[in-house]
Amino acid sequence: MTLRAVVTGVGHYLPERVVPNAEFEKTLDTSDEWIRARSGIENRHFAGEGDSTSSMAVAAATAALADAGRTAQDVDAIIVATSTADLTFPSSATMVQAGLGMTTGFAFDVQAVCAGFVYALANANALIASGQAKRVLVIGSETFSRIMDWTDRGTCVLFGDGAGALLLEAQEGTGTPADRGILATDLNSDGRHKDLLYVDGGSSTGTTGYLRMQGNQVFRHAVEKLAATAQTAMDRAGVTAEDVDWIVPHQANIRIIQGTAKKMNISMDRVVVTVQDHGNTSAASIPLALSVGKQRGQIKQGDLLVTEAIGGGLAWGAVVLRW
Ligand code: UT7
C-alpha cells in the first residue's frame, strides 16, 4: 500500500484593489507596453489596509476547506509558504491556525521565496507519506507590495499580492502513476546565487528591507533549471511529457513560462497562465493558478499536473501530482 497526499480542496483569495500597468506610468519611467512585452503582466492585486499575509491565508484556507467539505477541526497540520510573514515570528501558520479556530495539530512556515509552495507541498507529502499527518492545509500567501522599493522600476512593476490553498488528504494508492495525489517531488537550491534576489533587511539590519533583484540574471537560470527539475520529478513519477495534462508553473514572467514549456516539449495550450492578472505573487502564484485553473474548467479530477518554480536562494523545484 502506498499512502498518497491527494488534493481534496482548493481555494484562493485576491485583494480587492486591482492595479493596471498604467498606474506605474504616473510615477516611473516605464510603460504598459514594456511591462507587457517583457513580463506578460497586465494587472496585479495589492493588499488593502485590512489585508495581511495571514488574513489572506485564512481566507484562502477557508475556501479550500469548504471546497473539500471539511472544517478546520479535521486538519492535522498547516504549512504556510511565505516570504512576507506578518511578523518575524511567530509563524504565519500559527496565526492562520488561530484564525481558523483550530486548537490542535501543528503549524509552521516554509521560506523558499518563489519556490516556497513547491517546498511546502514536498513537506506536506512527507508528513502524509510517513503517517505523521492525515490532512494538511498547504497555503501560499504573500504581500510583496509591502517590500517593494517604489522607485525601482526593475522590480516594483512585477509583483502582486494574494493567497491560494490546498487541502491534502492521505488516501491509499497502488504505487503507480495512475494514483491520484502527489507522485513525485524534486527540490534544489544553490546559495552561491543569494545576491541575485534578496530583501535587504532582517535581523542583520533591524529593518524589514526591500526586494532587490538582478532580474536578467535570475532569468538566465530560470528556464534551464525549471525544465531540468520538472524532468527529474517526471522521471521519478514514471511519467513522460506526453502524459502531462497541465503545467502549472510559478507565474513570474510569460517568457520564462513559454521557454520552460518549449524545453519540456509541451504546448502552451497545456499550461495554466495567470501572470497577466496576478503578476508575480511569489509562493502564492502556484496555488492561485491551481484554484483559478480549476474555476476556469481547465484542471479536472484525474488530470496529471506538473508544478515548477524558482526564486531567491536560488531555490527551485517541481512536483508531479494527479489532481
Ligand atoms: O519569481 C522569482 C524569480 N524572478 C524571476 O523569475 C524574474 C526573472 N526576470 C525577469 O522576469 C526579467 O528579467 C525582467 C522582467 C525583470 C526584466 O526583463 P529583461 O528582458 O531581462 O530586461 P533587463 O533587465 O535586461 O532590462 C532591459 C532594459 C534595461 O535598460 P538598458 O540597460 O537596456 O538601457 C532596464 O533598465 O529595460 C530597462 N527596464 C525597464 N524599462 C521600462 C527595467 N525595468 C523597466 C521598466 N520599464 N519597468
Side-chain angles (χ1 to χ4, degrees):
M1 181 198 77
T2 306
L3 270 183
R4 296 291 195 190
V6 177
V7 177
T8 57
V10 59
H12 72 270
Y13 173 86
L14 285 161
E16 214 175 290
R17 183 174 164 217
V18 177
V19 178
N21 292 343
E23 285 269 321
F24 297 97
E25 294 175 354
K26 296 177 192 162
T27 52
L28 292 168
D29 180 15
T30 189
S31 64
D32 174 43
E33 197 190 352
W34 189 95
I35 300 168
R36 275 175 202 255
R38 295 296 178 116
S39 71
I41 299 165
E42 298 169 19
N43 292 292
R44 73 285 290 142
H45 293 247
F46 280 165
E49 261 178 39
D51 293 313
S52 65
T53 292
S54 64
S55 75
M56 296 195 305
V58 168
T62 302
L65 286 170
D67 187 43
R70 297 282 186 196
T71 70
Q73 311 318 319
D74 299 322
V75 175
D76 301 316
I78 300 173
I79 307 176
V80 175
T82 189
S83 300
T84 47
D86 297 5
L87 301 172
T88 302
F89 72 79
S91 66
S92 304
T94 52
M95 294 184 187
V96 173
Q97 185 185 25
L100 291 173
M102 179 183 153
T103 52
T104 56
F106 60 97
F108 62 97
D109 286 2
V110 163
Q111 213 279 48
V113 204
C114 297
F117 197 75
V118 165
Y119 273 62
L121 279 180
N123 274 277
N125 186 47
L127 288 172
I128 286 175
S130 62
Q132 290 176 81
K134 283 196 173 67
R135 298 193 191 101
V136 184
L137 264 174
V138 187
I139 307 165
S141 185
E142 301 280 19
T143 46
F144 264 51
S145 66
R146 300 202 169 128
I147 55 164
M148 286 298 116
D149 173 353
W150 298 109
T151 65
D152 178 9
R153 67 177 184 171
T155 55
C156 73
V157 303
L158 301 172
F159 293 89
D161 302 333
L166 299 182
L167 182 67
L168 294 176
E169 302 201 28
Q171 288 184 12
E172 282 183 24
T174 60
T176 72
D179 289 346
R180 286 187 68 205
I182 294 178
L183 301 179
T185 63
D186 180 56
L187 303 180
N188 310 269
S189 63
D190 186 346
R192 288 176 301 172
H193 303 300
K194 65 181 171 46
D195 295 334
L196 298 186
L197 176 49
Y198 64 99
V199 171
D200 60 1
S203 63
S204 62
T205 60
T207 64
T208 306
Y210 296 108
L211 183 144
R212 307 294 176 199
M213 178 167 73
Q214 296 176 43
N216 49 12
Q217 295 302 313
V218 178
F219 196 110
R220 213 168 50 80
H221 288 277
V223 171
E224 198 138 317
K225 287 185 163 53
L226 289 172
T229 186
Q231 189 59 54
T232 302
M234 288 192 299
D235 290 346
R236 282 185 190 148
V239 301
T240 66
E242 291 87 74
D243 302 322
V244 173
D245 294 295
W246 295 104
I247 308 180
V248 187
H250 170 47
Q251 311 280 325
N253 186 312
I254 190 66
R255 294 183 293 143
I256 294 174
I257 293 171
Q258 288 165 339
T260 307
K262 193 172 172 199
K263 221 176 167 65
M264 291 171 68
N265 255 326
I266 291 179
S267 65
M268 281 303 290
D269 56 9
R270 288 195 281 151
V271 183
V272 177
V273 180
T274 57
V275 68
Q276 69 282 3
D277 301 324
H278 304 159
N280 183 346
T281 58
S282 193
S285 90
I286 287 174
L288 268 168
L290 288 167
S291 185
V292 169
K294 186 190 168 192
Q295 270 185 356
R296 286 179 187 158
Q298 292 176 307
I299 299 171
K300 297 191 184 65
Q301 189 168 314
D303 282 355
L304 186 69
L305 272 50
V306 177
T307 66
E308 29 89 346
I310 186 166
L314 294 174
W316 68 101
V319 174
V320 176
L321 75 147
R322 193 173 296 285
W323 193 255

